[in-house]
Amino acid sequence: MPPIPRSAAVSLPPRPRGRGRLPRILIAFGAVAAAGIALAGPADLLRDLRQRFADRAHTSPKPAATPGGATATATDPRFAPRPRPKPRPAIGNSSPQLSEIPMNLTFLDTSRSAYTRFRTWVDNAVNGNPGYAYEARDSALMYRISRDVKYCNHAVTLVEQQVSQAEAAIAAGQRPAVAADSYLEVGPMIADVAITYDTCAARVSSSQRQRWSAYAEQAIWNVWNHQNARWGNTSHPWSGWSVNNPGNNYYFSFVEATMLWALASRNSTWMSLLKTDKLPKLEAYYRNMPTGGSLEGTGYGTAQMRLFELYRIWRDATGIDLANANPHATNTIQWWVHGTVPTRTHFAPIGDQSRNSVPELYDYHRRLMLEARHLSGDASAQRIASWWLNSIPVQQMGQGANFRYDLLPPGSNGTPPSALHYHGSATGHLFARSGWETTAMWMSYVAGPYNESHAHQDQGAFTLYARDWLAVTENIWSRSGIQQGTEVHNTMRFERSNTSTPQCTAPANDRIVHQCESPQSVATMTVTPGANGAITVDSDLTPVYRGNPALTRWTRNLQFASRRLTVRDNFTLGSGTTAFFQVQVPVQPTVSGSTITAGNLRVRVLEPANATITLRNWNSVNSGEFTKGWRIDIGGGTSTYLVELSEVTP
């Protein structure tokens, strides 16, 4: 299936609240197809406990390296269980046990309430009342801690259910659940098998070991050999989505399955694949992002919590420290701390916000920071992470499936960063504030690479916050959370009269000049610090339009100082193109001459002198998609705009 092209803001129905993936894309696509608009966005991004991190329609990349060559089957002797090493003392117990994957649990403090919550969560499941999305690995971990065999018995029961259900599907010629949604869940599902197979070896029968092994081996082989994938005697090829993209959340799942099973089974083929191919690609990718964060933004970027867990597992098991092989993981602490608004309740809404359109801090953000803090070898970064973890309202995980991550210690107290701004040059994200007090003014700005499907056409867009949102993308007031067009962001909007000129993947009749998602679409930004936290930003956004004749040049300069943001745009337009300076605000604005007031935001148009000001109510445009919000359109500029944004004194 070819990629679904992006569009301008589209009319989407309310987001369903279940766990299924298929309904939303079918409903959303149907809602816009009649209007002749191509749907942009991922498959089924629901607000649910585990944020499934789905991607947009899949395309088939080049085949990945094939371990062992020919198609593997469940009876392939290469995939027979490997002999286990001699017994060694178990963690926290002097009696000999079967060899286990090394797992460093020295951080565990059984006197903390986090441990009590986790133990209760597991005990409830063992007693027949499992919570939503309960996983066998929780029971296996509790066995590691306590050495009570009831936990292993429970884990074995859960994994046996998974494998038996898969075998029934395979016997019927179908794909098992592990292959659903382009193998998105292969990581956690095979991790359950692997951790139980390893930790609870004494409770797993010989026949179970053979069956579990055949199932796990085939699942992993299918991941890396998508064109020749099969289950039983039936061929089941799939798209191979993101098997070669280390920056994508699917890749994390694929590596998780491969890593855990390789460690549990001692399969030299998979270990070699990890060491010579998959992990070097992962490390190289993040080496090129030394300032931390994600090119997918702050929604899908949260998936790096899974990446950091992989680092932890690999370090504990092999001694190889991928997290500190480059600065990305440590600097992601800075990226997220600076990317959090002063009230510490929300974060910069960059890119798709599929789990929750409003960017509220949640379990996933706590987990990401706990993992990053635990991995980092930088004491200063650890203190900053501790300050953040102890300052945000999410002081413990809200969902049981995340309780095990609260076992990682947040540290005590900590200190905020000394700097008032952070430029994540690798991702093109800037965060700045007037101070670290909760009443400070804060801004974010985007100017950098635009090459990921969950990123938005928001190059040149700013966000302004002081006690609450002053100017913020309209996407956070959408029900879908995936409104990607320039028209919903605080950036310039260029409209053309000649709609027949092709541009990116936009519909031919679309008047808006689209920013182009491409490896070559890289805006530039230079940040110059001033006194008392002031900064000057010079950016060139021209490259993201990829030579569109509607626009030959656009630069944006920002001055942020004394709780005031001043924005100057200079641009050169093609024939028939009109430029608008737009500001998205949460509440209805009022206009008095060249000054607009929207809640606690004051906007003054300094240039041009003859500017036109119009207001757009997003709810009246599409009440099914937009719950609130207004757009201020400033027009009349033919080569420049100069606009000042400040706070109305509360």
Side-chain angles (χ1 to χ4, degrees), residues 423-425 428-430 445-448 523-527 537-540:
H423 179 199
S425 57
H429 300 139
L430 168 69
Y445 184 62
V446 180
T524 60
M525 180 193 335
T526 301
V527 180
V537 180
D538 291 294
S539 58
D540 185 355

Side-chain angles (χ1 to χ4, degrees), residues 530-545:
N532 301 318
I535 60 169
T536 298
V537 180
D538 291 294
S539 58
D540 185 355
L541 295 311
T542 313
V544 299
Y545 291 92

Side-chain angles (χ1 to χ4, degrees), residues 383-403:
R383 288 192 296 272
I384 291 171
S386 292
W387 173 81
W388 186 89
L389 287 163
N390 290 306
S391 298
I392 63 173
V394 187
Q395 286 295 292
Q396 64 183 46
M397 300 297 180
Q399 301 292 343
N402 298 319
F403 282 177

Side-chain angles (χ1 to χ4, degrees), residues 439-441 464-468 470 563-565 600-602 645-650:
T439 56
M441 178 175 280
L464 200 60
Y465 187 102
R467 300 178 179 86
D468 203 344
L470 298 180
R563 303 179 73 93
R564 189 182 308 273
L565 175 65
N600 288 331
L601 175 68
R602 178 184 293 111
L645 300 96
S646 60
E647 181 185 19
V648 176
T649 304

Side-chain angles (χ1 to χ4, degrees), residues 429-447:
H429 300 139
L430 168 69
F431 311 109
R433 65 187 67 217
S434 61
W436 285 100
E437 66 276 9
T438 58
T439 56
M441 178 175 280
W442 171 96
M443 65 156 288
S444 69
Y445 184 62
V446 180

